[in-house]
Amino acid sequence: MSSVIAPPARSSGSSGNRVGLALLVIGVAVAQFAVALVAARDPGNALQVVGALVLLACAVAFPRLVLVLALPATLIAIRVGPARFDLSVSDAVTVLGVVAALRFVPWRDRRLRLVLGALAAYLGFLAVTLVPNNELRSVLEWGHRGLLFGGSILIGVAIVHSGVVRPALRLFVLGCSVVAVLATLSTLRQGFAPADLAFINKNHAGLVLAAAFLVLWAAAPSLAWRREVVVGLRVVMIVGLAATQSRAAAIGLVVALAVRPLLQGNRGRRRQVSIALLVACAALITVTAVSINERDLSRPSNELKFNAINTRTDVLRSTWSEVIVENRLVGAGLRFWTDPAEPRPTPHNWVIGELGEAGVIGLAGVLVLLGATALALRRSPALLAELAMLAFVLRVTQGFADIFWVAGPLTAALILTGLGLTADPGTEDDDDERALIAPGTTGSIGLSPVARPGPPPP
């Protein structure tokens, strides 16, 4: 009886190594071709391409480091890269963060799928408006919005699943404390005028300082700092926010803090402290309102129409009468205000801005996107779901009096939103989430019946 010798089985590991090596060789070849092509056309841009490729390689090799830096990078609004793309540091780090996040994202999580599906629907709505408004700036903005929203969410999710929540939040808070101190010193030097910082404008600074305050208030246990340090940093953030005199950010913070007691299932000390803090922030809004009268409404009559309130009101009114009424369905095109033939001031309201850019179709799409994100957060069992909801409410509210689709403020808020979107690694997350509820407990978000283990926030 003859024996048959079977050939040795190929290991899946060796096959995977071969595929990885092949992809690496192809990637290097494509990169070399791209650098050569750019160098032939514009040698000055070749160095930028090489630098971008090096950064992408670092994002693949050191993904956790990139994810940790993604949040503090939202504090820098300096422009980088080719002028035609108009990239900020935050945009560039978001691209690197998405590359670093891909290996950590739980693609089967149904809440993440809900948000990404809504984003795809929104981009589909916008694609319809691109048919009559297909200028290059509109197409680039279409891609930018997909990266800005989806990329920031993925980075936040990956920060949790890669286990770097604490260093990411700590570095963000420390960076914001530097911004707060610089803003305070700036406003003191200028006789209590709004803070003037070289690397970030006052509205951007106000938003990130408000977001950092929410981190210190709703996610203090995640920082693992002494209580005295946390309380001191909260004061620093509030003082810095007051120094920026960013009214939209202050109002957004008040609304977020007003929502927090509604999200908590218990009626104990935490709710009373939250309401007390809400009263304190309302006092901050009152002081801000007084500053409006002193700084804006007290100007001479020939300058009164140029104050901040009247200027923005005039922009909203002209956008409605001259743009939206004429382009109700599909709008005037994404970033229509940068049209070289007819430049316009940017509307500081996300509803008016969306109607002006993409009409009723675009507004319907963004409402679907925001609604789906809020629904996903409501159903999330994540430990940071409360912080995520507060950051989301902060940004949406602030966007009623500021530009919404801008890297930096939106990136920071959406990364914090992503932190609380999905369950932490190792946490059971089955279809019957009520099974996770311990007897006599409720979730951190009272609307979602999910237990939150660990110490309550102060």
Side-chain angles (χ1 to χ4, degrees), residues 58-193:
C58 291
V60 174
F62 308 102
R64 287 179 173 83
L65 176 61
V66 174
L67 293 174
V68 168
L69 295 176
L71 256 178
T74 61
L75 306 178
I76 305 174
I78 300 173
R79 319 310 292 182
V80 295
R84 71 163 54 185
F85 296 111
D86 194 27
L87 288 177
S88 66
V89 170
S90 182
D91 282 320
V93 176
T94 299
V95 174
L96 299 177
V98 171
V99 174
L102 293 178
R103 71 175 70 179
F104 301 109
V105 175
W107 298 106
R108 295 185 179 182
D109 188 285
R110 57 187 177 278
R111 285 164 294 272
L112 179 59
R113 288 185 175 186
L114 174 61
V115 175
L116 295 181
L119 176 60
Y122 172 60
L123 294 177
F125 278 88
L126 289 186
V128 175
T129 71
L130 288 179
V131 175
N133 305 302
N134 53 14
E135 293 83 0
L136 178 61
R137 65 176 183 276
S138 299
V139 177
L140 291 177
E141 178 63 16
W142 179 84
H144 179 247
R145 293 190 180 183
L147 172 67
L148 189 56
F149 199 100
S152 301
I153 290 290
L154 292 181
I155 291 172
V157 170
I159 287 175
V160 174
H161 285 262
S162 62
V164 294
V165 171
R166 181 166 296 167
L169 290 181
R170 280 183 169 184
L171 197 57
F172 175 65
V173 170
L174 291 175
C176 287
S177 65
V178 174
V179 173
V181 171
L182 293 177
T184 303
L185 294 176
S186 173
T187 196
L188 290 175
R189 286 195 303 265
Q190 301 179 78
F192 297 99

Side-chain angles (χ1 to χ4, degrees), residues 180-385:
V181 171
L182 293 177
T184 303
L185 294 176
S186 173
T187 196
L188 290 175
R189 286 195 303 265
Q190 301 179 78
F192 297 99
D196 184 15
L197 302 178
F199 59 94
I200 186 173
N201 66 53
K202 72 180 190 70
N203 291 329
H204 185 166
L207 187 281
V208 294
L209 292 179
F213 180 87
L214 291 179
V215 172
L216 290 162
W217 185 255
S222 298
L223 298 170
W225 281 335
R226 293 175 59 87
R227 178 175 177 79
E228 296 80 5
V229 175
V230 172
V231 173
L233 287 174
R234 289 173 185 168
V235 174
V236 170
M237 298 306 167
I238 290 295
V239 173
L241 175 57
T244 66
Q245 299 184 30
S246 175
R247 300 151 190 165
I251 293 173
L253 179 60
V254 169
V255 174
L257 292 172
V259 167
R260 189 185 185 224
L262 303 178
L263 301 179
Q264 296 175 334
N266 64 323
R267 295 179 179 271
R269 178 175 174 273
R270 286 194 297 170
R271 171 169 291 205
Q272 296 173 359
V273 173
S274 297
I275 294 175
L277 183 63
L278 176 60
V279 173
C281 289
L284 175 64
I285 294 297
T286 303
V287 173
T288 303
V290 172
S291 74
I292 293 175
N293 181 67
E294 293 295 330
R295 190 175 65 250
D296 292 329
L297 303 184
S298 60
R299 293 185 178 187
S301 57
N302 61 333
E303 298 180 5
L304 189 60
K305 67 177 182 178
F306 298 111
N307 68 52
I309 296 177
N310 287 341
T311 300
R312 294 189 180 186
T313 303
D314 290 342
V315 171
L316 296 180
R317 187 182 298 112
S318 65
T319 301
W320 179 270
S321 61
E322 300 174 13
V323 178
I324 298 176
V325 173
E326 300 295 330
N327 305 275
R328 295 184 180 89
L329 189 61
V330 295
L334 300 183
R335 295 184 66 83
F336 70 90
W337 56 81
T338 61
D339 184 358
E342 190 180 359
R344 290 176 173 271
T346 308
H348 285 66
N349 180 287
W350 65 264
V351 175
I352 298 299
E354 203 71 32
L355 282 172
E357 289 183 306
V360 176
I361 292 178
L363 181 60
V366 79
L367 290 177
V368 169
L369 176 59
L370 298 180
T373 304
L375 180 62
L377 289 172
R378 175 182 176 274
R379 295 178 174 179
S380 174
L383 298 176
L384 296 171

